[in-house]
Amino acid sequence: RLPTMVTGLDVGLRRLEFVALLFFFIICEAKSERIKRPEIPQQITWFYANNLDIGASFLGDVVGLNEVPGLLQEKQCRIFHSTSNHFCGVCNTRAAPNCTAGGPEEKDNPGKATYTMVVSSKQEVDDWHAYLVQGNSTRVLVTKPEHSSTYGCYAFNFYDRDMTNGLGCYRWEVQYFSDPAWPQLSHDP
């Protein structure tokens, strides 16, 4: 058997192949254009409840959102219109956050999240407050609307009182931005 020998020509060809390949990738990278971000025409925010009907009742009966009828997934998830292109969904497909020890504002609440509904005026915040307070005291806890100079907004929070089966571990907020830099309502996605 003859020993395998690498000649100077072989090494030179391998180096040339490497340089050519490297050059090819540099040219391709330089020519490639950044792909434009696809549009987001609709959005769903998902919440989890241990009892689907109780969670759905909070969105439908207390908050007053309209359910999307006839969806195939309605035994596991129910979806509600919050605006024309945004939806809130409640599911029982995983355990809801557990915050029974300290409530929704508990420091270590695993589901600590705020769902904020942005409205167009301070009056609309007050209207939402009045709407939620009326006859719902056993089902919803509503804080007082306040102005925050730190965040440039006028807002209040509300909570489902059912922290075991409903959506009680989530914070809900109705807010008006008094900050002039906040974008005005647009119908573009």
Side-chain angles (χ1 to χ4, degrees), residues 106-126:
E106 175 185 359
K107 179 182 175 189
D108 296 326
N109 172 2
K112 193 167 191 173
T114 303
Y115 181 80
T116 302
M117 295 180 278
V118 179
V119 296
S120 300
S121 68
K122 182 179 176 195
Q123 182 60 52
E124 287 182 38
V125 171
D126 292 336

Side-chain angles (χ1 to χ4, degrees), residues 55-73:
S57 172
F58 182 77
L59 292 178
D61 299 333
V62 175
V63 181
L65 303 181
N66 293 320
E67 187 169 358
V68 177
L71 295 175
L72 296 176
Q73 60 188 335

Side-chain angles (χ1 to χ4, degrees), residues 38-173:
E39 294 296 321
I40 304 171
Q42 295 181 324
Q43 180 180 346
I44 301 174
T45 301
W46 297 103
F47 302 95
Y48 298 91
N50 291 324
N51 183 304
L52 183 60
D53 290 334
I54 291 174
S57 172
F58 182 77
L59 292 178
D61 299 333
V62 175
V63 181
L65 303 181
N66 293 320
E67 187 169 358
V68 177
L71 295 175
L72 296 176
Q73 60 188 335
E74 69 184 347
K75 291 183 181 177
Q76 293 84 27
C77 299
R78 294 177 52 195
I79 301 173
F80 296 79
H81 285 272
S82 56
T83 68
S84 60
N85 293 316
H86 186 266
F87 304 84
C88 290
V90 61
C91 298
N92 64 3
T93 55
R94 68 172 89 159
N98 182 344
C99 65
T100 54
E105 294 297 328
E106 175 185 359
K107 179 182 175 189
D108 296 326
N109 172 2
K112 193 167 191 173
T114 303
Y115 181 80
T116 302
M117 295 180 278
V118 179
V119 296
S120 300
S121 68
K122 182 179 176 195
Q123 182 60 52
E124 287 182 38
V125 171
D126 292 336
D127 292 346
W128 265 100
H129 186 267
Y131 170 77
L132 289 167
V133 168
Q134 69 177 350
N136 284 321
S137 63
T138 59
R139 186 67 201 273
V140 65
L141 172 66
V142 183
T143 65
K144 181 182 173 211
E146 295 180 339
H147 176 74
S148 169
S149 57
T150 303
Y151 298 107
C153 67
Y154 178 72
F156 70 91
N157 296 330
F158 64 100
Y159 309 85
D160 183 348
R161 289 187 182 269
D162 189 339
M163 289 183 276
T164 305
N165 294 305
L167 300 176
C169 293
Y170 298 100
R171 177 193 306 137
W172 303 80
E173 179 180 40

Side-chain angles (χ1 to χ4, degrees), residues 29-45:
E29 185 66 29
K31 286 185 176 181
S32 69
E33 293 180 24
R34 182 161 172 84
I35 297 172
K36 182 182 173 195
R37 180 188 61 81
E39 294 296 321
I40 304 171
Q42 295 181 324
Q43 180 180 346
I44 301 174
T45 301

